[in-house]
Amino acid sequence: MRITIFGTGYVGLVTGACLADAGHEVMCMDIDEGKVARLKQGEIPIYEPGLETLVIENVGQQRLSFTTDAAEAVAFGTLQFIAVGTPPDEDGSADLQYVLAVARTIGRYMDDYKVVIDKSTVPVGTADRVHEAIAGTLTERGAKLDFDVCSNPEFLKEGAAIEDFTHGARIVVGTESDRVKSLMRECYAPYNRRVEKLMFMDVRSAELTKYAANAMLATKISFMNEIANLAERLGADIEQVRRGIGSDPRIGYHFIYPGCGYGGSCFPKDVQALARTASQIGYDPQLLNAVEAVNDRQKATLFGKLNQAFDGQLEGKTVAVWGLAFKPNTDDMREAPSRHLMESLWAAGAKVQAYDPEAMEECHRIYGERSDLMLADGRDAALNGADALVICTEWKSFRTVDFAHLQRTLKTPVIVDGRNLFEPAQVRAAGLLYFAVGRGDSLQVGQRKAH
């Protein structure tokens, strides 16, 4: 098939590369000329394991191409995927200006039948607005052309996006058109051979499915963080609780790891957008609001523990930070807990020495040159001269450490672990003060004078 994808961000690029790798001819369109020029040279603007190789191989095989020419892109494919950003508006609702701009572009240049596919995460009712935008543009042209709009939400985890696209549990398509169903079956046939993954439903149900899935996962995270906060105050160990409840197949182990809050491009904005949609129709989404409130509070946990360890005297201190990305195997720092921590430390007059295997350039892009931020060459370099260590991201390279070395290197033996990477008894046996999340480790009397 010949397929056009508008947007070369995370979703658009992964979708385009995977569909091209399955044998389709794919053209990705973006208005950013510099970005398109780099993509043509095989330079990938995001870090995602395996994506660079996939793009380079399929560009070389001439199955994947990039353009800034909207007319060329619309003419290219029968299937027109919209995969542009839907950032949160000031009130938390999804901003659809880019989605609707693409819809009008398609209406402006199309000259035969098209299936317009909403791949971006969009609120319920967006397909109707996309249809109206295209129809309105065709009317302005005086053109009578047939087209369909369907919803095909993505379910990609950053760090495992290619695996999720090629071996995902389901492929959701919102449409009631037999013609669209046939074309989408053809599109996804390479990934639908062993097990029937295609799930056809009405458009609004498909749009809601995406938000419901992310809200459910975010709810599990916030629930475990709530229980972790209880465990900490009750002297219980949340890791033992996690194993106890995760063994129940009705609950399972996925997304029940406590920590310093969720971040990234999906959960924060999607929970907010769904809550905003509910409010707009007069429904009070109490659970969704609570999920967001718990997460916002959880992001302050790391600074709170560190501030407590130093009796509120953080001015002039230097803090080593391991992990900047919101999760491993990505360079994405959107809504990352590390950002809340660092900004709180700077406000308190502290300095930060940070290291992340992939997100260093992204951190520099966000914060630029600062006298109170040093981006270290490695995890050990971040420790030099530091008063304490905070772990924000559970990269594998942080899981195995020499605690005796940490005890000797840090000016004060304080570790705040936002991802529960270590066993408390082992760390404390090395002479370190170790504060994790929900492990019964509230500061004891006499430990406050760490410094």
Side-chain angles (χ1 to χ4, degrees):
M1 302 184 80
R2 289 167 67 87
I3 297 169
T4 295
I5 297 180
F6 282 86
T8 58
Y10 189 85
V11 174
L13 195 55
V14 170
T15 300
C18 288
L19 289 177
D21 199 56
H24 298 303
E25 294 180 43
V26 179
M27 176 177 288
C28 294
M29 188 275 171
D30 202 291
I31 61 174
D32 187 334
E33 294 182 359
K35 188 178 184 181
V36 168
R38 292 192 297 273
L39 284 166
K40 287 181 177 180
Q41 298 300 316
E43 296 179 25
I44 308 301
I46 58 174
Y47 175 75
E48 176 64 34
L51 182 58
E52 181 177 1
T53 299
L54 209 60
V55 169
I56 292 173
E57 287 181 355
N58 284 282
V59 168
Q61 294 294 324
Q62 298 184 335
R63 289 192 297 264
L64 179 62
S65 61
F66 301 94
T67 185
T68 58
D69 187 333
E72 179 187 24
V74 174
F76 184 82
T78 298
L79 303 187
Q80 304 269 312
F81 282 83
I82 301 179
V84 294
T86 53
D89 215 335
E90 291 183 5
D91 62 358
S93 61
D95 186 346
L96 295 178
Q97 63 171 310
Y98 305 111
V99 170
L100 296 177
V102 172
R104 288 188 288 269
T105 296
I106 293 171
R108 185 178 305 120
Y109 294 115
M110 62 183 286
D111 58 8
D112 58 3
Y113 175 76
K114 304 291 182 184
V115 178
V116 180
I117 304 155
D118 285 337
K119 195 69 173 173
S120 302
T121 300
V122 293
V124 175
T126 298
D128 292 338
R129 295 185 63 183
V130 167
H131 193 282
E132 290 169 3
I134 296 171
T137 305
L138 288 174
T139 299
E140 291 172 2
R141 288 174 52 194
K144 294 183 178 180
L145 297 169
D146 195 16
F147 70 95
D148 283 299
V149 177
C150 75
S151 174
N152 176 217
E154 54 86 14
F155 299 97
L156 306 178
K157 296 188 300 292
E158 292 191 42
I162 294 172
E163 176 68 17
D164 284 346
F165 193 97
T166 57
H167 296 91
R170 75 289 207 199
I171 302 168
V172 172
V173 177
T175 185
E176 295 178 359
S177 163
D178 290 337
R179 185 177 187 180
V180 173
K181 290 178 182 178
S182 177
L183 288 168
M184 294 302 283
R185 280 194 179 280
E186 185 179 353
C187 174
Y188 283 112
Y191 303 121
N192 197 45
R193 295 185 182 279
R194 292 179 58 191
V195 179
E196 179 59 61
K197 297 179 182 179
L198 272 165
M199 300 176 65
F200 291 109
M201 59 185 72
D202 67 83
V203 174
R204 286 179 172 246
S205 294
E207 291 170 333
L208 184 56
T209 295
K210 168 61 177 180
Y211 277 109
N214 279 353
M216 183 68 222
L217 297 175
T219 300
K220 292 183 73 173
I221 294 171
S222 281
F223 174 81
M224 284 306 293
N225 284 333
E226 191 89 290
I227 299 301
N229 293 335
L230 282 175
E232 198 164 288
R233 289 156 177 79
L234 294 170
D237 186 343
I238 192 62
E239 286 301 303
Q240 295 182 45
V241 175
R242 179 184 64 79
R243 290 192 291 270
I245 68 172
S247 60
D248 186 330
R250 296 171 301 174
I251 298 173
Y253 290 104
H254 294 295
F255 287 86
I256 63 168
Y257 287 85
C260 48
Y262 59 76
S265 63
C266 294
F267 289 1
K269 76 177 182 67
D270 290 354
V271 171
Q272 290 176 17
L274 185 55
R276 180 59 181 167
T277 295
S279 297
Q280 288 172 340
I281 59 172
Y283 180 78
D284 180 15
Q286 295 181 21
L287 181 57
L288 294 175
N289 291 334
V291 167
E292 184 179 7
V294 169
N295 193 60
D296 288 343
R297 182 177 62 190
Q298 200 68 14
K299 288 184 179 181
T301 296
L302 300 183
F303 177 79
K305 288 177 180 290
L306 194 62
N307 196 46
Q308 188 179 11
F310 286 93
D311 287 338
Q313 303 299 313
L314 285 170
E315 186 172 3
K317 301 296 183 185
T318 299
V319 179
V321 174
W322 283 1
L324 296 168
F326 84 95
K327 64 180 286 188
N329 296 320
T330 182
D331 61 355
D332 194 343
M333 288 182 63
R334 285 174 288 185
E335 302 286 342
S338 64
R339 296 179 64 169
H340 190 288
L341 171 68
M342 292 192 295
E343 290 165 13
S344 297
L345 287 170
W346 293 330
K351 296 182 178 180
V352 172
Q353 296 179 171
Y355 171 71
D356 186 283
E358 294 295 338
M360 303 294 272
E361 289 185 11
E362 179 65 4
C363 185
H364 185 268
R365 185 192 69 80
I366 294 170
Y367 293 114
E369 298 291 339
R370 298 178 59 112
S371 60
D372 50 9
L373 172 63
M374 189 271 281
L375 297 177
D377 294 332
R379 68 175 199 178
D380 290 338
L383 300 172
N384 293 332
D387 293 281
L389 167 65
V390 182
I391 301 171
C392 292
T393 315
E394 62 272 34
W395 286 95
K396 288 182 179 179
S397 58
F398 299 157
R399 292 180 180 273
T400 304
V401 299
D402 182 341
F403 295 120
H405 172 69
L406 286 179
Q407 202 277 339
R408 291 191 304 269
T409 304
L410 295 172
K411 289 182 181 179
T412 50
V414 174
I415 299 178
V416 178
D417 181 0
R419 298 300 178 182
N420 290 357
L421 298 188
F422 312 126
E423 283 301 318
Q426 183 182 6
V427 184
R428 291 169 186 149
L432 292 151
L433 295 178
Y434 179 65
F435 309 108
V437 179
R439 308 210 67 179
D441 57 6
S442 293
L443 287 174
Q444 303 297 311
V445 175
Q447 288 184 333
R448 294 178 180 274
K449 301 304 178 182
H451 58 296

PDB file of all heavy atoms in Angstrom, residues 78 143 216 242 259 264 377 413 435:
ATOM      1  N   THR A  78      -3.325   6.555  -0.282  1.00  0.00           N
ATOM      2  CA  THR A  78      -4.771   6.446  -0.067  1.00  0.00           C
ATOM      3  C   THR A  78      -5.062   6.585   1.420  1.00  0.00           C
ATOM      4  O   THR A  78      -6.051   7.202   1.817  1.00  0.00           O
ATOM      5  CB  THR A  78      -5.296   5.098  -0.587  1.00  0.00           C
ATOM      6  OG1 THR A  78      -5.069   5.010  -1.990  1.00  0.00           O
ATOM      7  CG2 THR A  78      -6.789   4.947  -0.295  1.00  0.00           C
ATOM      8  N   ALA A 143     -15.330  21.154  -4.680  1.00  0.00           N
ATOM      9  CA  ALA A 143     -14.987  19.781  -5.074  1.00  0.00           C
ATOM     10  C   ALA A 143     -15.903  18.785  -4.368  1.00  0.00           C
ATOM     11  O   ALA A 143     -16.213  18.936  -3.185  1.00  0.00           O
ATOM     12  CB  ALA A 143     -13.535  19.489  -4.729  1.00  0.00           C
ATOM     13  N   MET A 216      -6.098   4.233  33.053  1.00  0.00           N
ATOM     14  CA  MET A 216      -6.073   3.049  33.906  1.00  0.00           C
ATOM     15  C   MET A 216      -4.662   2.767  34.403  1.00  0.00           C
ATOM     16  O   MET A 216      -4.447   2.477  35.592  1.00  0.00           O
ATOM     17  CB  MET A 216      -6.605   1.838  33.121  1.00  0.00           C
ATOM     18  CG  MET A 216      -6.680   0.562  33.930  1.00  0.00           C
ATOM     19  SD  MET A 216      -7.941   0.658  35.222  1.00  0.00           S
ATOM     20  CE  MET A 216      -7.078  -0.093  36.574  1.00  0.00           C
ATOM     21  N   ARG A 242       3.947  -5.097  47.328  1.00  0.00           N
ATOM     22  CA  ARG A 242       3.818  -5.195  45.863  1.00  0.00           C
ATOM     23  C   ARG A 242       3.834  -6.651  45.412  1.00  0.00           C
ATOM     24  O   ARG A 242       3.006  -7.073  44.582  1.00  0.00           O
ATOM     25  CB  ARG A 242       4.942  -4.422  45.183  1.00  0.00           C
ATOM     26  CG  ARG A 242       4.896  -4.479  43.653  1.00  0.00           C
ATOM     27  CD  ARG A 242       6.088  -3.769  43.044  1.00  0.00           C
ATOM     28  NE  ARG A 242       7.346  -4.416  43.394  1.00  0.00           N
ATOM     29  CZ  ARG A 242       7.817  -5.523  42.811  1.00  0.00           C
ATOM     30  NH1 ARG A 242       7.103  -6.120  41.865  1.00  0.00           N
ATOM     31  NH2 ARG A 242       8.967  -6.037  43.172  1.00  0.00           N
ATOM     32  N   GLY A 259       7.150   4.738  43.107  1.00  0.00           N
ATOM     33  CA  GLY A 259       8.303   5.553  42.742  1.00  0.00           C
ATOM     34  C   GLY A 259       8.043   7.023  42.984  1.00  0.00           C
ATOM     35  O   GLY A 259       7.271   7.397  43.874  1.00  0.00           O
ATOM     36  N   GLY A 264       6.433  11.816  31.198  1.00  0.00           N
ATOM     37  CA  GLY A 264       6.371  11.479  29.790  1.00  0.00           C
ATOM     38  C   GLY A 264       5.331  12.283  29.028  1.00  0.00           C
ATOM     39  O   GLY A 264       4.694  13.193  29.554  1.00  0.00           O
ATOM     40  N   ASP A 377      29.995  13.323  32.809  1.00  0.00           N
ATOM     41  CA  ASP A 377      30.312  12.365  31.754  1.00  0.00           C
ATOM     42  C   ASP A 377      29.854  10.950  32.083  1.00  0.00           C
ATOM     43  O   ASP A 377      29.778  10.100  31.199  1.00  0.00           O
ATOM     44  CB  ASP A 377      31.819  12.357  31.484  1.00  0.00           C
ATOM     45  CG  ASP A 377      32.305  13.674  30.893  1.00  0.00           C
ATOM     46  OD1 ASP A 377      31.499  14.341  30.218  1.00  0.00           O
ATOM     47  OD2 ASP A 377      33.478  14.036  31.103  1.00  0.00           O
ATOM     48  N   PRO A 413      26.728  10.670  53.726  1.00  0.00           N
ATOM     49  CA  PRO A 413      26.299   9.378  53.154  1.00  0.00           C
ATOM     50  C   PRO A 413      24.787   9.267  52.974  1.00  0.00           C
ATOM     51  O   PRO A 413      24.138   8.414  53.573  1.00  0.00           O
ATOM     52  CB  PRO A 413      26.817   8.379  54.181  1.00  0.00           C
ATOM     53  CG  PRO A 413      26.732   9.124  55.477  1.00  0.00           C
ATOM     54  CD  PRO A 413      27.058  10.550  55.154  1.00  0.00           C
ATOM     55  N   PHE A 435      17.094   6.367  51.765  1.00  0.00           N
ATOM     56  CA  PHE A 435      15.685   6.709  51.813  1.00  0.00           C
ATOM     57  C   PHE A 435      15.052   6.381  50.471  1.00  0.00           C
ATOM     58  O   PHE A 435      15.363   7.003  49.460  1.00  0.00           O
ATOM     59  CB  PHE A 435      15.514   8.197  52.154  1.00  0.00           C
ATOM     60  CG  PHE A 435      16.291   8.590  53.379  1.00  0.00           C
ATOM     61  CD1 PHE A 435      17.422   9.380  53.272  1.00  0.00           C
ATOM     62  CD2 PHE A 435      15.909   8.129  54.619  1.00  0.00           C
ATOM     63  CE1 PHE A 435      18.155   9.720  54.394  1.00  0.00           C
ATOM     64  CE2 PHE A 435      16.632   8.462  55.751  1.00  0.00           C
ATOM     65  CZ  PHE A 435      17.758   9.259  55.642  1.00  0.00           C
TER      66      PHE A 435
END
